[in-house]
Each structure stands twice: as structure tokens, then as C-alpha cells.
Amino acid sequence: MTDLALPTTTRRPRRSRRRPGRLGSLVAATVLGAAVAACLLAPVLWPLDQSAVDLGSTRLAPSPAHPAGTDDLGRDVALRSLYGLRVSLLVGAVAALVAAVIGGLVGAVAGTLGGWVDRALMRVVDTVAALPHLLLGIFVVAMLRPGIGAVILSVGLTHWLSTARIVRSELLSLRTRPFVDAAISGGASRARVLTRHLLPHVLPRLALATTLMVPHAVWHETALSFLGLGLPPHLASIGNMISDGQRSLLTGAWWASIVPGLLLVAVTLALATLTGRWRERLDPRVRAELHL
């Protein structure tokens, strides 16, 4: 009598539940939170006179009295960097909101109405997208008086295209879903379908696109200020400080432009890391893999 071999079952190795990128997200959140807190508390703890100069303390190297040194007018680089980052983040956030409103309206109209309206609006989007954003922004600022309002309008008018495409594509995808057909069959008007059934699904994507737009807006404002088309020269902004620090590089005062530039890079990378993590969480396929 032969022994029957029992079938052996192989157990699949259990996939680790540890989510990748958690440490990077924690570091990014810490950097961004510390920078935002310092920018908000700087006017209260360390008041700064934007027009004050100290010709007796020009181009001082980093020291306990001036952790990031001084510029060619004797102004503290670390303190002015915080004020400059505060202005740049404010301009970038408001400009991103302006671009989100413009792009959201255009995308909503194109995705809801469809037909020739959709085709006409998308041709406008393609035409504007073919133009270099920075040159278009320079043209907008040149037509207006340089200042915060002109920079915000310039960035908003050049960064709404991706938002319009995202909102349009989401609406076109949602229009074919069964719950939309059920709402229309139940007698819901087009406005009710848009506001009650479609917008709640589009708003998370729109919020993510707006957040992703903030680093681009900050860099756009920095480029305009660097070219002398942004904020007034006496006001502290990252672009103005980098532009003014070029003269100090020739005399060895590298900190005048390197410190604000590194601060800008660190904050924008932290913001991009967090928004990238958010985008992964919104993707159903990535979210399913993270929970395996």
C-alpha cells in the first residue's frame, strides 16, 4: 500500500505594511511647518525696518550676532530671508488661488457643456500653453505697475491651464458614471447635477492641483523679482535678495544670495514632497498597493 503524499501549500510572503515615504513626508512637514511658523512669528519677535541700513556692518560673515551674515547694506540676511520667504509664499498662495479659480471655471464650463464650447475653450488653452509662461508673465507685469498685485495677476494668468485641463478631464469622466445618469433620469437639472453630484468629486483634485501650483508660483514670483519686474527693490523678497546678492558674490560675501536661495529650495521641495504624497493617496491604484 503506497502512502499518499499530502499536498503541500506554499504560503505567500506577507507584504510589509510599512508605507514608503513616511520618513520623507515627516521631514518635509517639519521643514515646512518650521518655515511657516518662523515667517508668521518674524514680524512679532524681530520687527524689521525695510529701509534701514547700517553701512558700518556691511558684508559681515556669519556670526552669533548675524547667523547668516549681512548684505552690502548691513542688513541681516537671515531676518530678511524670513521676511522675503513670507512675501514669496503669500504671493505664491494667492496667485495659485487666482489660477485655480480661472482654470476651474474654464474647465467646468468645457467639461459640462461639451460640444463646440469645449472645443473652442480647449483651443484657447492650447494657444496660451504654447506661449512661454515667463515671457507672458513679463508682458503682463510690463503692462501694469510693478507690485504685489501685478505679480499675482501675472502668475495667475499664466498658471491656470493645467487646472482647466484637470477639471475638464474629471468632469468628462464623471459624466459617464451611472449615478449621473440616474440623477438625470430622476429629473435633476444640469446645474444640480454639476453642483450636487460632480463638484464634490472634482474638488479634491482641484485642491491638489492648487497646492501643486504654489511652488511654481513662488518660483515665478522669484524670477520676476530677480529680473527687477516684481516687488520694489527695498522690500525683502527672495528674488530681490538673490538679485542683490550677485554683487556681493564678487567680494566673497556668498551668503547674501546663497542663504535665501537655499531657504527657497528647501521650502518648495518640502511642499512638493507633501503634495506628491497627497497625490499618491488620491490615486486608487496607489492607495490599494499601500494597503496590501
Side-chain angles (χ1 to χ4, degrees):
M1 184 174 181
T2 60
D3 296 334
L4 296 177
L6 296 177
T8 59
T9 58
T10 59
R11 300 181 62 182
R12 297 177 60 184
R14 190 174 183 180
R15 187 175 298 182
S16 175
R17 290 180 178 270
R18 186 177 59 182
R19 298 176 181 177
R22 177 174 292 182
L23 179 60
S25 300
L26 180 60
V27 173
T30 303
V31 171
L32 184 61
V36 172
C39 292
L40 293 177
L41 295 177
V44 179
L45 300 179
W46 307 287
L48 175 65
D49 185 2
Q50 299 281 358
S51 59
V53 298
D54 186 6
L55 298 180
S57 304
T58 59
R59 302 188 184 94
L60 294 180
S63 63
H66 302 283
T70 60
D71 59 8
D72 55 355
L73 294 178
R75 299 171 297 189
D76 188 85
V77 174
L79 186 56
R80 283 181 59 84
S81 297
L82 291 180
Y83 274 78
L85 182 63
R86 181 168 172 262
V87 172
S88 297
L89 288 178
L90 177 62
V91 172
V94 176
L97 288 176
V98 172
V101 171
I102 298 175
L105 290 176
V106 173
V109 172
T112 303
L113 298 181
W116 67 269
V117 176
D118 180 26
R119 292 191 295 271
L121 290 177
M122 287 302 101
R123 296 296 80 75
V124 173
V125 170
D126 294 338
T127 302
V128 178
L131 302 175
H133 287 179
L134 185 57
L135 292 181
L136 184 59
I138 292 174
F139 174 77
V140 173
V141 173
M143 298 296 293
L144 303 172
R145 180 179 299 178
I148 294 180
V151 173
I152 291 175
L153 186 61
S154 170
V155 178
L157 292 177
T158 55
H159 286 72
W160 60 271
L161 308 173
S162 59
T163 306
R165 290 192 175 114
I166 291 173
V167 173
R168 172 185 175 269
S169 63
E170 287 292 323
L171 289 177
L172 291 179
S173 176
L174 291 171
R175 284 172 56 183
T176 60
R177 302 290 179 86
F179 67 89
V180 176
D181 294 336
I184 295 175
S185 301
S189 62
R190 181 175 294 179
R192 181 174 176 81
V193 171
L194 176 63
T195 57
R196 185 68 180 271
H197 301 282
L198 297 181
L199 286 184
H201 293 81
V202 176
L203 286 179
R205 296 286 182 181
L206 180 60
L208 175 60
T210 305
T211 309
L212 286 170
M213 205 183 306
V214 174
H216 296 280
V218 171
W219 280 99
H220 196 110
E221 181 275 328
T222 302
L224 291 176
S225 298
F226 179 80
L227 296 174
L229 297 173
L231 304 180
H234 70 280
L235 291 179
S237 72
I238 298 297
N240 286 340
M241 293 186 66
I242 296 176
S243 179
D244 295 339
Q246 289 185 107
R247 299 188 297 268
S248 301
L249 285 175
L250 300 177
T251 60
W254 50 267
W255 51 85
S257 59
I258 297 298
V259 171
L262 290 177
L263 182 61
L264 177 65
V265 170
V267 171
T268 52
L269 282 180
L271 185 58
T273 300
L274 293 178
T275 51
R277 180 68 173 172
W278 185 11
R279 180 173 56 185
E280 292 177 357
R281 299 295 299 175
L282 284 179
D283 192 343
R285 293 171 298 181
V286 177
R287 187 168 63 248
E289 292 178 359
L290 291 176
H291 284 85
L292 286 178

